[in-house]
Amino acid sequence: MISFTTKSNFAKKSIPYFLIAIAFFMPVYLKLSIIGLFVLTFAWLLSGNWLNLKEYNKNSMLLWLLAFFWLLHAVSLVYSTNLYRGLNDIQQKLSFIIFPLIFYTSIRDVKSNYNKILIAFVSGLILSGLICLINATYQSLSFANSQFVFNPIPIDYYWENYFSYSRLSFPRHPTYFAMFYCLGIAILFYFAKFKKERSWTYVAIAIVICFFVLMVFLLSSRAGILVTIVVFIGGMLWLFLKRMGWVLNIVGVAVILLFLATFAKNNERFSILLNNLGLKHSVENRTYSPDEKSEIVNGDNIRTEIWLSIPEIVGPNWIFGFGIGDSKQELLQGYKNKGLINALDNEYNAHNQYLETFAGLGILGFLLLLSILIFPLYNSFRKRKILLIMFITIIALNFIFESVLERIGGVIFLGFFYCLFILMSANIEET
C-alpha cells in the first residue's frame, strides 16, 4: 500500500507539470485549463506545500492583492439581493485566491520551471492559431463541378469571413484571444532579449512574432490591434535601445509605427473605429448587411454612452457599489432610465473593467483594482522587469475596452500570469 508520504512527494513533483499544462491549454482549450486548476489544487493540498504559508515575507504583499480583491467581492454579497449571481461571480474568481496560495508556497517549482511555463503558453498559442486557420480553410472549401472551390465568405452571411473575427476564433472571444497573443509577443521579445542561442533561434522567434501579429490582425479586435502596436514598439525599444542609440531607435520606431498603422487601418473593424473617432476613413464602400453595419458603426458610440452614464447610475452607491450580485440588474435599469435601448436589449455590461468594478464594488473596489495594476507597475519600472511592465500594460489597456473579469478566460489569464510575473520579480526566498 502506498504511504501518505509517497503520495505527498508525488503530488509535490506533479505541481510544475500542472502549471505548464494550464499555461499550454489556456489558449487552446480553456476548459482543460479549468480542469487542470482543480487537479492542481488537489495536488497542492496533498503535497503539504500549504504548510509554507507560515513563512511570511513582506515582499510577497503584491502577490496577495488579487486575494484581497476576491475577498472584497465576497464581502459585497452581504448587501447583494441576488445571491445566485453573486455566488457565481465569486466562484468564477476563485482562482484569485488559489493562484496566490499555490505560487507563493511552491516558489522553488515555479522559479525552476519559469521558462518552461512561458514556452508552453507560446506553444499553445501557435497550436491554437494553426487550428483556427485550418478550420477557416476547411470551412472555406467546397466541392462543386468536380473541383474544389475556395470561398471564405459564408453563403448566408456575406458580410462575414471565415478568416476574421469570431468566425476565426470560434472557440473563444476574439478580444480575449488577441490579448493572449499580445502577451505571447511580449514573451517572445523576452526570449530574444535574454536567451543566448544560435542565430536560427532569433529567426524562429521573429517568424512566430509575425505569425502572432497576423493572428491579431485577422481576429480584428480593435483593442488587440492597439495593444499589439504598443507591445511591439515597446519590445523593439527593449531589444535595440542600447545597441542602436536614441536617434536610430526613434527612426526605427517611426517606421514600425507607420507600418503597423497602415496594417491596422486596412483592417475593416479597426477602420470603422478610426471613422467613429472622426478620422477620414469611410466605411460606405465596405460590404455589410444593413443591420450589421448599423451595429458596428454605432457600437463605439453606444459603448461611450454606457461609460459616461455609469457614474450617474451608481450615484449614491459610489462608496460600496451595488454589490456583485445586483450590479448587472442595476446597470440594465440605468440603461432603461437613460434611454440606452440598444444597451438594454443586448444586456450589455460596462465594456470597461474599471467601471464594471466601480458599479459592483464602489470606489473601494475601484481603488483596489488600480492598486493591482499600479503597485506592480511601479516596482517593475524600478527593477526594470520589462515583461511584467508589458503584462500590466496589456491588462490595463484591455480593461479600458472590455470587462475582462466577467469571463472565466480573463480571470484565469490575469490570476495565473499576474502571480507568475510578480513572484519572479519579487525578492521572495524559497521556503
Side-chain angles (χ1 to χ4, degrees):
M1 186 174 180
I2 301 176
S3 66
F4 176 79
T5 303
T6 303
K7 292 179 181 178
S8 175
N9 290 334
F10 177 79
K12 186 175 295 187
K13 292 179 180 179
S14 69
I15 286 177
Y17 296 102
F18 287 123
L19 292 173
I20 291 170
I22 290 172
F24 176 78
F25 286 112
M26 198 180 300
V28 177
Y29 191 57
L30 185 61
K31 288 183 178 179
L32 288 179
S33 283
I34 297 173
I35 294 172
L37 176 58
F38 283 111
V39 179
L40 171 64
T41 304
F42 177 76
W44 175 74
L45 292 171
L46 189 62
S47 69
N49 280 3
W50 46 272
L51 294 172
N52 295 330
L53 282 171
K54 62 183 180 181
E55 302 293 337
Y56 171 75
N57 189 305
K58 64 179 182 179
N59 294 316
S60 68
M61 282 304 298
L62 290 179
L63 201 63
W64 301 108
L65 287 176
L66 287 180
F68 295 150
F69 192 57
W70 183 89
L71 287 173
L72 190 58
H73 279 75
V75 169
S76 76
L77 288 178
V78 175
Y79 53 92
S80 294
T81 56
N82 189 341
L83 293 180
Y84 178 77
R85 185 179 185 277
L87 288 171
N88 279 341
D89 188 81
I90 63 172
Q91 177 185 348
Q92 179 173 279
K93 293 181 172 66
L94 268 176
S95 58
F96 284 174
I97 279 193
I98 295 174
F99 280 134
L101 287 172
I102 293 177
F103 276 82
Y104 178 72
T105 58
S106 307
I107 298 173
R108 183 173 301 173
D109 292 327
V110 174
K111 287 189 173 181
S112 61
N113 290 277
Y114 178 63
N115 285 343
K116 292 179 182 177
I117 292 172
L118 297 183
I119 291 172
F121 181 69
V122 170
S123 301
L125 285 171
I126 295 173
L127 177 60
S128 187
L130 292 175
I131 291 173
C132 288
L133 292 176
I134 292 172
N135 176 73
T137 303
Y138 174 76
Q139 296 291 339
S140 302
L141 288 174
S142 60
F143 191 76
N145 299 323
S146 301
Q147 62 181 358
F148 283 102
V149 177
F150 180 80
N151 180 18
I153 309 300
I155 296 175
D156 298 328
Y157 301 89
Y158 60 87
W159 58 90
E160 295 187 2
N161 192 306
Y162 288 120
F163 288 88
S164 179
Y165 202 53
S166 57
R167 289 280 184 173
L168 178 65
S169 64
F170 62 97
R172 60 196 71 78
H173 192 284
T175 298
Y176 293 78
F177 202 14
M179 182 171 64
F180 291 0
Y181 275 111
C182 288
L183 179 58
I185 293 170
I187 291 172
L188 288 169
F189 275 118
Y190 160 78
F191 282 123
K193 178 73 174 180
F194 294 111
K195 296 293 286 182
K196 306 300 182 182
E197 303 287 352
R198 298 176 181 176
S199 58
W200 65 265
T201 306
Y202 297 104
V203 174
I205 289 174
I207 291 173
V208 178
I209 288 177
C210 291
F211 175 64
F212 287 1
V213 171
L214 174 64
M215 285 299 300
V216 173
F217 175 79
L218 294 177
L219 288 167
S220 298
S221 165
R222 278 84 62 89
I225 292 174
L226 286 172
V227 177
T228 297
I229 292 173
V230 172
V231 170
F232 195 91
I233 292 176
M236 294 299 289
L237 287 173
W238 187 24
L239 280 180
F240 300 114
L241 182 58
K242 289 185 178 180
R243 299 179 186 178
M244 299 174 60
W246 277 103
V247 176
L248 289 179
N249 269 277
I250 291 174
V251 173
V253 167
V255 172
I256 293 169
L257 185 59
L258 179 63
F259 169 76
L260 291 175
T262 305
F263 190 66
K265 192 175 181 181
N266 284 283
N267 178 276
E268 292 189 358
R269 287 177 54 82
F270 195 81
S271 67
I272 291 172
L273 174 62
L274 296 179
N275 188 70
N276 285 343
L277 292 174
L279 301 179
K280 189 176 180 181
H281 193 74
S282 176
V283 297
E284 294 300 321
N285 296 325
R286 296 187 179 276
T287 306
Y288 293 100
S289 72
D291 291 341
E292 179 81 356
K293 186 173 182 178
S294 175
E295 180 180 347
I296 295 177
V297 172
N298 295 323
D300 297 308
N301 294 331
I302 293 171
R303 184 173 299 194
T304 303
E305 290 176 356
I306 290 174
W307 293 349
L308 294 175
S309 67
I310 285 180
E312 185 178 343
I313 292 172
V314 175
N317 299 283
W318 65 274
I319 297 179
F320 299 106
F322 296 116
I324 58 171
D326 299 341
S327 59
K328 181 62 177 289
Q329 192 59 42
E330 293 291 343
L331 284 180
L332 294 179
Q333 184 61 44
Y335 299 158
K336 182 178 180 180
N337 296 338
K338 298 285 290 184
L340 303 177
I341 304 303
N342 198 338
L344 177 63
D345 291 342
N346 290 283
E347 297 188 355
Y348 286 151
N349 57 31
H351 280 283
N352 179 297
Q353 187 58 55
Y354 304 105
L355 293 174
E356 193 80 44
T357 299
F358 178 61
L361 303 176
I363 193 66
L364 296 178
F366 175 77
L367 292 176
L368 182 54
L369 183 64
L370 288 183
S371 299
I372 289 172
L373 302 175
I374 293 174
F375 289 141
L377 192 61
Y378 169 76
N379 276 355
S380 57
F381 269 111
R382 187 165 55 87
K383 298 179 180 180
R384 297 185 179 181
K385 301 293 182 179
I386 307 297
L387 190 53
L388 178 57
I389 292 174
M390 288 188 173
F391 174 72
I392 296 297
T393 300
I394 291 168
I395 292 295
L397 292 177
N398 275 280
F399 275 4
I400 296 174
F401 301 100
E402 290 291 339
S403 297
V404 174
L405 304 182
E406 294 302 295
R407 289 176 179 261
I408 187 65
V411 171
I412 290 184
F413 176 74
L414 174 62
F416 185 88
F417 284 107
Y418 185 90
C419 293
L420 177 66
F421 294 140
I422 291 293
L423 186 69
M424 294 303 298
S425 64
N427 296 322
I428 305 175
E429 296 180 359
E430 298 179 1
T431 56

